[in-house]
Amino acid sequence: MNLVWLTLGLFFVFALLGIPIAMSIGMASAAALLSMGTSLVVVAQKMFIAANSFTLIAIPFFMLVGAIMERSGITERLVNFAKALIGWLRHGMTYVTIVAGILMGGISGSATADTAALSGMLIPAMEKQGYPRKFTAPLQAAAGTLGVIIPPSLCMIVLGSVTNLQVSKLFIAGIVPGCLVGLCLAVVSYVICQKNGFGEEDTYKFSFKELGRAAKEAVWALLVPVIIVGGILLGVFTPTEASVVAVFYTLAVGMFVNKPIRIRDLPAIFCDAARSTGTVMFVIGTSSVWSWILSYANVPGMLVEAITSVTQNPVAIMLIITVIFLVGGMFIDGTPLIIMLVPLFYPVASAVGFDPLAFGIIICICNAMGAITPPVGAALFVACASGSVKLESTFRYVMPIVAAELVSILILCLFPQTASFLPALLG
């Protein structure tokens, strides 16, 4: 255990000094290895093994899909479709935000990219309709993070590589819980708007003509999740192969259908995706060294014994794990948190017989919450920066949004079949 405390202590010291999370994890792990008398060659070996995964090949391609989507005008078409579909309801623009987040999550799976695209377009538009930016910024962040739960999800890809759960099953398992989280967010948004009188000028009227026009413009974008999920279900391709198909499809739509992308734009798009991928893969590599050290010290076994000696109630244990992930997500980004903690808590959940797919989806929702909770809260930072909103002014509305996601987790804890029934139904 001395080795574990040394690693944890050094990690927090490095993080407090402002050193990037990936570097903090790597340096703390290297120091722990040196204290064990182990060669630092192990660091390179473990990082290579972690990155050398067929499953993780999907990450750069889905990153590329996000970069293409950002430049292809897909976001605007999806927002217009969502507005024509449900924008006529009272406080309709809040629901438009949530539905647009779900639709975009079915394309890119990147929370920060989706948040940036949504907030840049919807925060100014919603302000004109009587919604203050201190409310719309956290709402955009929450809607953007729905991509973590809705397939395809980068979080699920990383989770599958850590737990050996089938990524295709995780993708299918995320559909119903993702919509459940969206529903909980819609209810909370309605209550907030009713209580504070937001959106009094939100008076959009339903029109079949406008719905038809918006659907026609968005049809190519709406086909992306159908192709990805449908292809996986029918066994046409694996999730990794689906990411390649998604790249070619969105690129073809951007260059030959919507036509905002030119050949001269491709180098910048590829560079954006490469930078994002490099950051994620470096985090995965250094975090894998951390996980190996914890496994060497038998921390997972001790943790299983410690928690199950207190309670063996699956719901209670999952709520404990949720709180730990929620607190950890306030300080550490989602990807390293998954690689650091999931190998510790997955055996605990398995020991008490909790559904593995429901466990995976709950972790994804925790990841989404971490992206909107300060002080780290990457998606919240992006939304506030995009909408020129002071971060501290949003805290009042962040808490109800987090509470809505906690309710969805509680439902999953009580009824894990919410996540697992669809993969079981589809075989």
Side-chain angles (χ1 to χ4, degrees):
M1 284 300 293
N2 291 335
L3 180 66
V4 176
W5 289 118
L6 171 64
T7 311
L8 283 171
L10 288 174
F11 166 71
F12 283 113
V13 168
F14 293 144
L16 289 172
L17 290 174
I19 298 173
I21 292 295
M23 293 295 295
S24 298
I25 296 171
M27 292 166 61
S29 301
L33 290 173
L34 288 175
S35 70
M36 295 163 54
T38 304
S39 172
L40 291 182
V41 172
V42 173
V43 174
Q45 291 175 337
K46 295 299 177 184
M47 289 181 68
F48 174 78
I49 291 171
N52 187 29
S53 166
F54 178 74
T55 301
L56 295 181
I57 294 175
I59 290 180
F61 289 107
F62 280 126
M63 287 287 189
L64 186 54
V65 169
I68 294 169
M69 187 182 71
E70 186 178 352
R71 294 181 181 235
S72 63
I74 287 177
T75 302
E76 184 177 358
R77 286 170 168 77
L78 291 177
V79 169
N80 289 339
F81 172 72
K83 186 175 181 180
L85 185 66
I86 59 170
W88 51 273
L89 295 171
R90 181 162 176 78
H91 309 305
M93 284 304 292
T94 60
Y95 313 138
V96 168
T97 297
I98 294 165
V99 171
I102 291 174
L103 294 176
M104 290 178 63
I107 298 175
S108 74
S110 173
T112 51
D114 291 352
T115 301
L118 283 173
S119 56
M121 180 183 301
L122 288 176
I123 289 179
M126 291 182 71
E127 185 178 36
K128 293 178 181 178
Q129 297 181 348
Y131 298 97
R133 294 193 175 210
K134 60 186 178 181
F135 164 66
T136 55
L139 180 63
Q140 306 303 323
T145 58
L146 289 173
V148 175
I149 312 162
I150 299 291
S153 164
L154 300 183
C155 174
M156 293 177 186
I157 294 170
V158 175
L159 193 61
S161 71
V162 173
T163 60
N164 290 323
L165 289 171
Q166 288 186 28
V167 176
S168 57
K169 287 188 176 181
L170 284 170
F171 276 9
I172 306 306
I175 295 174
V176 174
C179 295
L180 174 64
V181 174
L183 179 62
C184 292
L185 289 175
V187 172
V188 166
S189 298
Y190 177 82
V191 172
I192 291 174
C193 291
Q194 281 288 94
K195 182 179 178 181
N196 296 279
F198 296 160
E200 294 299 329
E201 299 173 32
D202 188 354
T203 56
Y204 182 82
K205 294 183 179 180
F206 179 78
S207 166
F208 280 109
K209 181 179 179 180
E210 182 62 24
L211 178 60
R213 186 192 63 79
K216 182 179 179 181
E217 291 182 354
V219 65
W220 294 103
L222 294 172
L223 282 175
V224 178
V226 174
I227 291 171
I228 293 173
V229 177
I232 293 171
L233 285 178
L234 295 174
V236 178
F237 39 67
T238 66
T240 303
E241 293 164 345
S243 65
V244 181
V245 173
V247 167
F248 280 101
Y249 180 86
T250 52
L251 194 58
V253 170
M255 294 185 70
F256 304 114
V257 180
N258 299 342
K259 299 182 180 180
I261 297 178
R262 300 288 184 267
I263 293 178
R264 63 175 178 272
D265 299 324
L266 295 182
I269 292 174
F270 280 94
C271 286
D272 288 345
R275 280 192 292 268
S276 301
T277 301
T279 302
V280 172
M281 296 305 292
F282 188 64
V283 168
I284 290 173
T286 55
S287 299
S288 68
V289 183
W290 173 294
S291 298
W292 180 79
I293 293 172
L294 295 182
S295 298
Y296 177 83
N298 194 32
V299 174
M302 291 186 288
L303 198 59
V304 170
E305 185 177 347
I307 294 180
T308 54
S309 65
V310 176
T311 178
Q312 293 196 357
N313 184 297
V315 175
I317 287 176
M318 282 309 303
L319 290 176
I320 293 171
I321 293 173
T322 296
V323 171
I324 293 171
F325 268 88
L326 180 59
V327 174
M330 294 180 178
F331 304 97
I332 304 174
D333 288 334
T335 300
L337 195 66
I338 287 175
I339 300 173
M340 291 162 59
L341 296 185
V342 166
L344 302 181
F345 291 109
Y346 183 63
V348 177
S350 298
V352 296
F354 193 79
D355 186 277
L357 291 176
F359 171 86
I361 301 305
I362 288 173
I363 297 304
C364 289
I365 299 175
C366 290
N367 196 341
M369 286 192 296
I372 62 174
T373 50
V376 175
L380 183 60
F381 276 122
V382 169
C384 289
S386 181
S388 300
V389 185
K390 290 184 178 180
L391 182 67
E392 58 272 16
S393 69
T394 66
F395 293 169
R396 176 183 174 185
Y397 302 104
V398 168
M399 294 304 106
I401 289 172
V402 171
E405 297 189 340
L406 284 172
V407 168
S408 65
I409 288 179
L410 180 60
I411 293 172
L412 278 170
C413 288
L414 294 172
F415 307 102
Q417 301 85 357
T418 306
S420 60
F421 90 93
L422 193 56
L425 180 67
L426 298 173

